[in-house]
Amino acid sequence: MKTEILYDNTDSDIERAAELLKGGAIVAFPTETVYGLGANALDSAAVKKIFEAKGRPSDNPLIVHLSYPQEAEKYAFTNELFYRLTRFMPGPLTVILKKRENIPDVVTAGLDSVALRVPYYLPARKLIKLASVPVAAPSANISGKPSPTKAQHVIDDMTGKVEAILCGADCSVGVESTVVKIVGDNRLVICRPGGVTKEMLEDICSEVEIDPAVISKFEGAPISPGMKYKHYSPDADVILLIGTEEQIIKYISDKSDFGILCFDEDKHLLTRGNALSLGREKDFSLQAARLFDCLRSFDKDKSIKTIYARMPGDDGVGLAVRNRLLKAAGFDIVRL
Ligand code: TXA
Ligand code: MG
């Protein structure tokens, strides 16, 4: 398949992308979290093409993207708590609600709920509005690989597999949206941490829980099907290290063929050619923005067989960074 390369700073290119979506094509596009791979959510045949292009298991449901939060009424049953959550919409938040009949089974993998999100990044919203259809979109990576946060990542993964790639800015958040499930009238369960943090959600809801699968190995039936898959994994093995810089230097002294993912403060590690910094140890937003690009950079160097990563903090957006690294490592942690 020939893949058209389009640019989101050109109105005619956004219009072209919208036309393609309306006509049943699959089109990758930027959002503030990660690049998505979109199709008209009401067109089952188009949505099926997303699963094929990504190699995604068909039991993992997709997020439906809208241009306004009020459109949720058309596709799901809302409640008062949903409207409190609209404080974070548009933004990096996905809300799981009971679905209406019009959302096809292929989108929700047969579940009776649907995940809805209104992206903040303006060209994304323009695209959805122009297409005038709800847009089902997972991250635009090959299934299991780190999500794409730059146009080049999507070009690397999706050229020849999709009708078009709308290229835009690097993703400012850099990790996928926070996924919350509304339970009853006043309880939220965080299924996947992201840019809208637990602390922010607690401002509008007194009962906010984190699903145990966010920080520990999945056992049993997950609240969100995506939680059971190994994810965000570069080709190299990822191992998380808990310890001081000196302990890490000692630990890696007899190792070979590895890269190190650390922080700006790790001055001695950073003098080595094989280390990349995620940013300052407490700068969780920058760590989130850089994480997937760093993992993909290590993979470009085929000599790197293992990535040793420092365990990030878990405050605010740090929890999202920690969750992605834990998943990339398959919960492989070494305490020094
Ligand atoms: O930031 C994002 O959310 C990006 C951009 C493109 O918007 N999208 C994204 O989609 O990360 P994806 O498919 O990679 O992740 C969607 C997650 C999966 O873990 C999936 O299992 C979960 O949301 N999910 C979707 N629908 C669900 C549902 N009805 N019930 C429970 N979990 C659901
Ligand atoms: Mg994904």
Side-chain angles (χ1 to χ4, degrees), residues 49 62 76 101 219 223 233 330:
K49 292 201 281 182
L62 307 180
E101 285 280 296
E219 271 156 37
I223 189 164
S233 306

Side-chain angles (χ1 to χ4, degrees), residues 92-95 176-180 190 192-197 201 324:
L93 179 72
T94 295
V95 184
E176 304 84 348
S177 60
T178 304
V179 177
V180 292
I190 299 177
R192 181 177 73 183
V196 173
T197 63
L201 293 168
R324 303 314 189 270

Side-chain angles (χ1 to χ4, degrees), residues 29-37 54 56 59-65 92-94 96-97 107-109 111-117 119 137-141 147 175-179 181 191-192 222-227 229 231-232 324:
F29 63 97
T31 81
E32 73 279 16
T33 56
V34 301
Y35 275 71
L37 177 55
K54 278 182 61 94
R56 181 177 175 107
D59 66 349
N60 195 3
L62 307 180
I63 296 172
V64 175
H65 296 69
L93 179 72
T94 295
I96 299 172
L97 293 166
V107 172
T108 63
L111 297 175
D112 64 358
S113 57
V114 61
L116 298 177
R117 155 160 146 78
S139 48
N141 51 290
S147 293
V175 287
E176 304 84 348
S177 60
T178 304
V179 177
K181 186 161 190 155
C191 310
R192 181 177 73 183
I223 189 164
S224 183
M227 313 275 279
Y229 296 108
H231 254 148
Y232 321 113
R324 303 314 189 270

Side-chain angles (χ1 to χ4, degrees), residues 31-32 40 48 91 108 132 147 150 153 161 172 183 198 222 250 263 271 281 332:
T31 81
E32 73 279 16
N40 175 359
K48 276 194 192 118
T108 63
S132 59
S147 293
K150 292 174 183 269
H153 299 161
K161 296 182 178 160
S172 57
V183 185
K198 179 169 190 271
K250 192 160 164 241
F263 302 119
T271 56
E281 195 168 349
D332 195 352

